[in-house]
Amino acid sequence: IVKSGLILQSISNDVYQNLAVEDWIHDHMNLEGKPVLFLWRNSPSVVIGRHQNPWQECNLNLMREEGIKLARRRSGGGTVYHDMGNINLTFFTTKKKYDRMENLKLVVRALNSVQPQLDVQPTKRFDLLLDGQFKISGTASKIGRTTAYHHCTLLCGTDRTFLSSLLKSPYQGIRSNATASIPALVKNLLEKDPTLTCEVLMNAIAAEYAAYHQIDNHISLINPTDETLFPGINSKAKELKTWEWIYGKTPKFSINTSFNVLYEQSHLEIKVFIDIKNGRIEICNIEAPDHWLPMEICDKLNSSFIGSKFCPIETSMLINILHRTCPEDDEVHSKWNILCEKIKGIM
Amino acid sequence: MARRPGSQRRRAPSVEPAPRKGREGPDRGVAGRSQAPSGEPARPAGSTASPTSAPQLPGRRADGSAGSPAPPTARQWFVPNTPSPRGRVPGQPHFRLLPSPISGVRPPSAPLLPRCCPGPAACPGRSAARSPPSRSINSSGVFSVRFFRTTAVCKDDVVTVKTPAFAESVTEGDVRWEKAVGDTVAEDEVVCEIETDKTSVQVPAPANGVIEALLVPDGGKVEGGTPLFTLRKTGAAPAKAKPAEAPAAAAPEAEPPAAAVPPPPAASIPTQMPPAPSPSQPPASKPVSAVKPTPSPPVAEPGAGKGVRSEHREKMNRMRQRIAQRLKEAQNTCAMLTTFNEIDMSNIQEMRARHRDAFLKKHNLKLGFMSAFVKASAFALQEQPVVNAVIDDATKEVVYRDYIDISVAVATPRGLVVPVIRNVEAMNYADIERIISELGEKARKNELAIEDMDGGTFTISNGGVFGSLFGTPIINPPQSAILGMHGIFDRPVAVGGKVEVRPMMYVALTYDHRLIDGREAVTFLRKIKAAVEDPRVLLLDL
């Protein structure tokens, strides 16, 4: 039997383009007798699972400030942080040949071929643990009708401090049945052994894959924007970037929180109850004390928010229009601004 | 007609389990009579069964209520069947009903209604097959009602889809619905996803049809084999409505997520400030054309044939309603007029070419021509303060402002924003370019604060980026005027008695005629023209 298979590596570091490659291979390639390994790395990005809530999983404000991209992948599982010190591996097989443990064992063999003393073990939850303690890899997968893929991360030299600050949500009072991430203690392989760089490890895993599937140890570099190679891939990447996909696919959730504003040397509490469906505000109840902001103005704010995206930019624009349609006196105007800035802070 | 005594009675038990609720059998149309929802079959004439023995079906009376008159004798209400034109099942007698005093006699088709089919009204896709009961008066002067069968077809067409078996000894997963009850789906289209232990498994529709019921709530737990949903099969695949909704609904469609950095507009925003033609519609102005429901090209998909005439309705979101309201208010309050002029851009272009590198070196900014227009406007506003003023309708006063804050309409991936450059009267070109660049940067990073977009005494909008030749901008309340810039196109013009080709731009000034007279407006615009065509005018204060 002539064994067949492919090892691909992306030349792009754009998370959306690389996720689009996964979609494309999953949708278009016939993997019968021809498994594929895809190696990719991304510039700093946070990637949430298919059914997760970004507000619950990461610090969106910090991400906006730092220019960190947010992507939602199509496989399940939890939230991860990617940067160039992290390798992503995707194992494509037919549905019948789907076997995550086999894939992880292959990765462990590859690691041990570079560093035989390395203590890496897969867990029942398909994580890889270093020295029995530190998570160096997390797994997620997607099963379609005939094909399936299992992808996992591998921490070589990621910025761990940044990772933990990004993956810590500051948003309070969220009630949701979205899939929750399980935080874990992580460590970089480079910290254990400085020879374990990304390049070294990618080559080792490719070699192990080639040996296991008895194919040529040859890594094909691919350009995820090449429409001739992957017809239709650019529209897949485009869809992954849309607000409707990234935020709009969040399962329904509600926020029940409050914040304080300073008024005449005392703090006033403003309560917020918001229901969000498909990323848009379905129900909005912002309760401010009547003596601070007249109730009609609060009501106007509440009703204006309904239907708009749960997003600070959209909120800014909405407030701006509201200003122009209902000019108020300066004092109300500035209170309105304060209130809106606070509200934007919880988005 | 085969009528075997007791045959109907034998059939009765199959009706027993039929659900009671929601049934709207055609006999509801019969003079609003109350009825026994039990599909009690009509008894054949000559049957030895007593017609009053209604409780053959446990717990139910034929008339479904106390105190109704006893059901008539079989002879009274059963009339030998007249072949019905359609839908008749062979061997199934066809009955005609007398309206009163009969109550609650179920039409013969009812016994075959399966448990899953609540009745014709709730049977989507089958409505074509069921026609409303037709009434006719026969010779004996009684109403007769015909019922046409469809139910046997219904029964075979409903499918319950179960959770697929999980891989690798996983025991349970969470359901995430992609479709809702009533949605039409095509075969293999994803109806829901099951998330098990970091794996997302798609559950496709087994055939074309309509989702009838979701048997698990969103986020609910299921095991392999748990029933997930029921699908009523239809013949046809659904029309491709989705693509039509996608461009229309995803208004700022090409936008990246909030945390991402959109590369393409970044370069253009600081230098050119490319806004949409009509500045006073902040967000979602790009899809002004896309949001119109009528021309939904994707509906006429390839293969869908010519002449598709469906419509697509989309509720206006609040923001759009507000924009609409505001624009209309502006139109209704101001007496809006537009005056035009044209500007020869050769000097400005030459100035830019000559000083571009030095400017970049010193200020680390690109020298656009927006600064020329902003400064020219500020100059003209100082010369004509009434254009910088506004009418306060509440107090019937004219408010003259000593400061000049110019709102510049900027198109961002998210939609139109109108940040304000404050106190332009004190700025030079470099200052203006710097502020424009900063505001553009903020807009690109989605950091514009509410204060950045507040106020403004005059607006400049640039439709030229989109290739506009000529146009009438709309005033951005509460202001009194707006300058619209358009595209620069080479045109032959008369210069010193000869024809030359010059890069020309049409400019438009829409103004509130209640406050600003025609002469003032024209003079104002001419001042802008002079200051842009020859910036020395600014230095010389001409």
Side-chain angles (χ1 to χ4, degrees):
Chain A
I1 308 167
V2 176
K3 293 274 188 162
S4 172
L6 272 181
I7 306 174
L8 305 175
Q9 185 173 327
S10 174
I11 63 170
S12 161
N13 301 322
D14 179 281
V15 61
Y16 309 108
Q17 287 174 1
N18 289 328
L19 287 172
V21 172
E22 283 189 327
D23 286 348
W24 194 94
I25 296 177
H26 183 70
D27 290 345
H28 296 291
M29 274 184 78
N30 179 4
L31 296 159
E32 192 69 47
K34 189 175 166 195
V36 174
L37 172 68
F38 177 42
L39 302 161
W40 42 298
R41 289 192 287 165
N42 295 322
S43 57
S45 322
V46 171
V47 182
I48 57 176
R50 172 68 180 82
H51 305 289
Q52 290 203 293
N53 180 332
W55 288 275
Q56 229 178 2
E57 297 295 332
C58 50
N59 189 337
L60 293 171
N61 284 330
L62 181 60
M63 286 164 64
R64 285 181 201 119
E65 269 170 58
E66 300 287 334
I68 309 290
K69 297 180 194 170
L70 176 66
R72 180 187 295 266
R73 59 179 188 264
R74 292 193 190 269
S75 55
T79 301
V80 286
Y81 170 66
H82 291 178
D83 65 15
M84 290 303 286
N86 169 68
I87 307 172
N88 297 303
L89 314 162
T90 312
F91 298 87
F92 292 92
T93 56
T94 57
K95 202 159 148 178
K96 288 196 295 275
K97 293 272 188 181
Y98 170 73
D99 188 341
R100 291 176 286 181
M101 199 47 89
E102 182 187 301
N103 299 334
L104 291 176
K105 288 194 182 137
L106 192 154
V107 175
V108 171
R109 286 199 304 275
L111 291 173
N112 282 132
S113 74
V114 180
Q115 173 47 281
Q117 270 83 49
L118 205 61
D119 174 15
V120 178
Q121 292 299 325
T123 68
K124 285 209 183 70
R125 290 199 73 239
F126 307 100
D127 293 337
L128 283 180
L129 285 189
L130 176 66
D131 295 338
Q133 275 193 292
F134 302 103
K135 181 170 168 179
I136 57 164
S137 165
T139 275
S141 45
K142 176 152 180 246
I143 303 182
R145 278 203 315 120
T146 52
T147 59
Y149 63 80
H150 159 217
H151 53 201
C152 56
T153 54
L154 193 59
L155 287 176
C156 290
T158 295
D159 185 340
R160 282 203 280 137
T161 352
F162 202 32
L163 184 157
S164 45
S165 59
L166 286 171
L167 297 187
K168 189 163 167 192
S169 163
Y171 305 106
Q172 304 289 321
I174 298 180
R175 241 187 20 237
S176 133
N177 70 358
T179 314
S181 296
I182 298 175
L185 206 57
V186 296
K187 196 166 184 181
N188 286 308
L189 283 167
L190 271 175
E191 292 171 59
K192 186 79 187 169
D193 181 342
T195 62
L196 300 173
T197 62
C198 287
E199 285 73 24
V200 164
L201 290 181
M202 284 197 284
N203 287 331
I205 293 167
E208 188 63 41
Y209 189 85
Y212 183 81
H213 291 283
Q214 295 166 40
I215 57 174
D216 273 345
N217 182 5
H218 172 72
I219 302 178
S220 308
L221 295 175
I222 56 157
N223 179 352
T225 56
D226 190 343
E227 279 279 331
T228 54
L229 221 59
F230 308 107
I233 197 170
N234 285 309
S235 74
K236 284 187 193 287
K238 193 167 162 190
E239 203 209 320
L240 289 166
K241 287 190 207 169
T242 60
W243 191 95
E244 270 64 30
W245 174 259
I246 298 177
Y247 294 96
K249 287 290 181 189
T250 308
K252 187 167 174 179
F253 69 103
S254 63
I255 295 191
N256 183 344
T257 184
S258 65
F259 44 74
N260 289 336
V261 291
L262 191 60
Y263 181 61
E264 288 174 2
Q265 278 116 37
S266 73
H267 283 272
L268 296 177
E269 197 195 29
I270 300 184
K271 299 210 182 86
V272 176
F273 305 90
I274 305 183
D275 273 12
I276 296 125
K277 186 172 162 187
N278 296 330
R280 288 178 185 265
I281 297 176
E282 214 180 28
I283 297 174
C284 181
N285 267 326
I286 300 167
E287 288 175 11
D290 194 50
H291 61 94
W292 184 72
L293 197 66
M295 197 143 64
E296 320 85 71
I297 305 211
C298 249
D299 287 344
K300 196 158 35 188
L301 202 62
N302 281 328
S303 66
S304 305
F305 276 133
I306 296 178
S308 74
K309 292 181 186 169
F310 190 60
C311 162
I313 307 93
E314 179 120 330
T315 303
S316 283
M317 305 220 269
L318 183 65
I319 304 299
N320 198 240
I321 305 172
L322 285 177
H323 269 321
R324 291 168 191 276
T325 47
C326 342
E328 306 284 348
D329 65 67
D330 279 339
E331 205 200 320
V332 174
H333 193 103
S334 71
K335 285 182 187 168
W336 176 291
N337 279 350
I338 294 170
L339 180 61
C340 295
E341 283 299 331
K342 291 274 187 180
I343 293 170
K344 277 168 56 181
I346 64 166
M347 290 181 168
Chain B
M1 164 199 64
R3 205 167 63 247
R4 293 184 305 287
S7 63
Q8 272 66 36
R9 226 176 308 141
R10 263 214 295 287
R11 211 165 302 177
S14 71
V15 184
E16 216 309 86
R20 306 290 187 239
K21 55 182 185 224
R23 292 187 109 189
E24 293 181 274
D27 50 354
R28 280 196 198 272
V30 181
R33 206 134 317 271
S34 70
Q35 59 178 335
S38 68
E40 177 172 301
R43 266 169 290 290
S47 159
T48 53
S50 156
T52 56
S53 60
Q56 289 193 3
L57 300 167
R60 287 286 170 187
R61 287 172 49 82
D63 50 33
S65 62
S68 289
T73 62
R75 193 174 297 279
Q76 256 184 307
W77 48 258
F78 173 65
V79 180
N81 73 306
T82 325
S84 71
R86 54 189 178 134
R88 247 196 87 222
V89 170
Q92 174 67 3
H94 188 76
F95 301 92
R96 274 195 273 157
L97 277 179
L98 302 179
S100 72
I102 296 171
S103 60
V105 179
R106 198 81 186 140
S109 50
L112 290 182
L113 275 173
R115 59 192 300 169
C116 61
C117 186
C123 216
R126 295 252 66 90
S127 49
R130 158 106 46 194
S131 52
S134 61
R135 293 174 179 240
S136 57
I137 301 182
N138 64 11
S139 53
S140 64
V142 286
F143 287 113
S144 65
V145 184
R146 289 223 175 123
F147 300 97
F148 302 112
R149 286 201 63 290
T150 57
T151 51
V153 189
C154 255
K155 180 166 139 185
D156 293 337
D157 269 2
V158 176
V159 171
T160 300
V161 177
K162 301 203 172 92
T163 312
F166 298 138
E168 296 171 328
S169 76
V170 174
T171 47
E172 66 169 22
D174 300 336
V175 180
R176 303 280 178 192
W177 292 107
E178 295 279 322
K179 300 284 179 189
V181 174
D183 282 353
T184 310
V185 291
E187 188 177 331
D188 278 349
E189 207 179 329
V190 175
V191 177
C192 67
E193 285 194 1
I194 315 265
E195 189 172 2
T196 71
D197 189 25
K198 311 180 188 183
T199 305
S200 194
V201 185
Q202 294 179 322
V203 181
N208 298 332
V210 177
I211 307 283
E212 204 174 67
L214 305 180
L215 306 170
V216 184
D218 189 84
K221 300 228 178 291
V222 292
E223 300 177 352
T226 310
L228 284 173
F229 65 94
T230 54
L231 175 82
R232 172 171 308 285
K233 292 195 233 178
T234 61
K240 293 227 180 274
K242 287 290 158 183
E245 277 155 61
E253 180 199 47
E255 61 172 356
V261 168
S268 48
I269 285 176
T271 51
Q272 289 193 62
M273 302 283 257
S278 186
S280 39
Q281 313 172 46
S285 59
K286 253 197 216 165
V288 161
S289 49
V291 161
K292 287 197 186 80
T294 30
S296 10
V299 172
E301 282 270 65
K306 299 187 225 199
V308 172
R309 294 176 57 80
S310 43
E311 266 182 15
H312 157 82
R313 277 170 183 266
E314 192 184 286
K315 187 120 178 93
M316 282 169 82
N317 66 33
R318 300 274 166 155
M319 210 170 333
R320 181 137 297 277
Q321 290 182 34
R322 281 254 177 249
I323 297 167
Q325 180 192 1
R326 193 167 120 261
L327 288 174
K328 237 8 236 177
E329 273 169 20
Q331 267 195 336
N332 294 343
T333 344
C334 305
M336 280 198 260
L337 255 64
T338 309
T339 174
F340 297 93
N341 216 313
E342 59 181 9
I343 298 185
D344 184 337
M345 298 293 287
S346 8
N347 271 353
I348 279 279
Q349 286 184 342
E350 192 264 342
M351 182 187 86
R352 280 180 74 209
R354 182 193 287 251
H355 297 285
R356 183 195 349 250
D357 294 334
F359 192 87
L360 183 61
K361 194 159 166 209
K362 177 168 182 191
H363 299 287
N364 202 17
L365 293 165
K366 257 187 90 176
L367 178 61
F369 55 78
M370 205 57 191
S371 44
F373 279 90
V374 171
K375 191 64 192 170
S377 304
F379 172 70
L381 285 165
Q382 282 173 303
E383 298 277 307
Q384 307 255 315
V386 72
V387 185
N388 200 42
V390 72
I391 293 178
D392 183 346
D393 287 292
T395 58
K396 301 275 180 270
E397 289 170 324
V398 177
V399 183
Y400 288 89
R401 293 161 302 190
D402 300 326
Y403 54 90
I404 297 175
D405 287 354
I406 297 194
S407 317
V408 186
V410 182
T412 67
R414 286 221 33 117
L416 191 71
V417 294
V418 194
V420 181
I421 309 175
R422 311 228 181 246
N423 288 103
V424 183
E425 71 276 9
M427 293 186 183
N428 61 30
Y429 279 39
D431 300 324
I432 295 171
E433 284 294 345
R434 185 172 311 114
I435 300 284
I436 290 178
S437 163
E438 281 169 10
L439 288 170
E441 185 67 21
K442 273 187 167 184
R444 184 177 65 86
K445 282 164 91 177
N446 300 311
E447 278 173 13
L448 280 175
I450 298 167
E451 291 76 33
D452 289 331
M453 301 195 276
D454 226 357
T457 59
F458 181 76
T459 301
I460 300 182
S461 116
N462 188 355
V465 201
F466 304 107
S468 158
L469 175 71
F470 212 74
T472 55
I474 188 169
I475 292 178
N476 198 11
Q479 296 175 2
S480 297
I482 174 171
L483 174 73
M485 296 158 58
H486 299 281
I488 303 172
F489 298 103
D490 280 344
R491 247 194 292 136
V493 289
V495 178
K498 287 196 288 232
V499 173
E500 286 185 27
V501 173
R502 292 288 175 93
M504 301 297 290
M505 177 200 282
Y506 284 117
V507 286
L509 179 80
T510 301
Y511 59 99
D512 184 353
H513 205 323
R514 298 177 300 159
L515 181 61
I516 302 165
D517 294 334
R519 182 183 63 173
E520 287 161 330
V522 172
T523 314
F524 178 82
L525 195 55
R526 290 192 62 197
K527 277 219 170 12
I528 293 184
K529 172 186 164 87
V532 172
E533 284 182 346
D534 188 355
R536 296 175 294 188
V537 158
L538 300 167
L539 288 170
L540 300 167
D541 194 10
L542 292 174

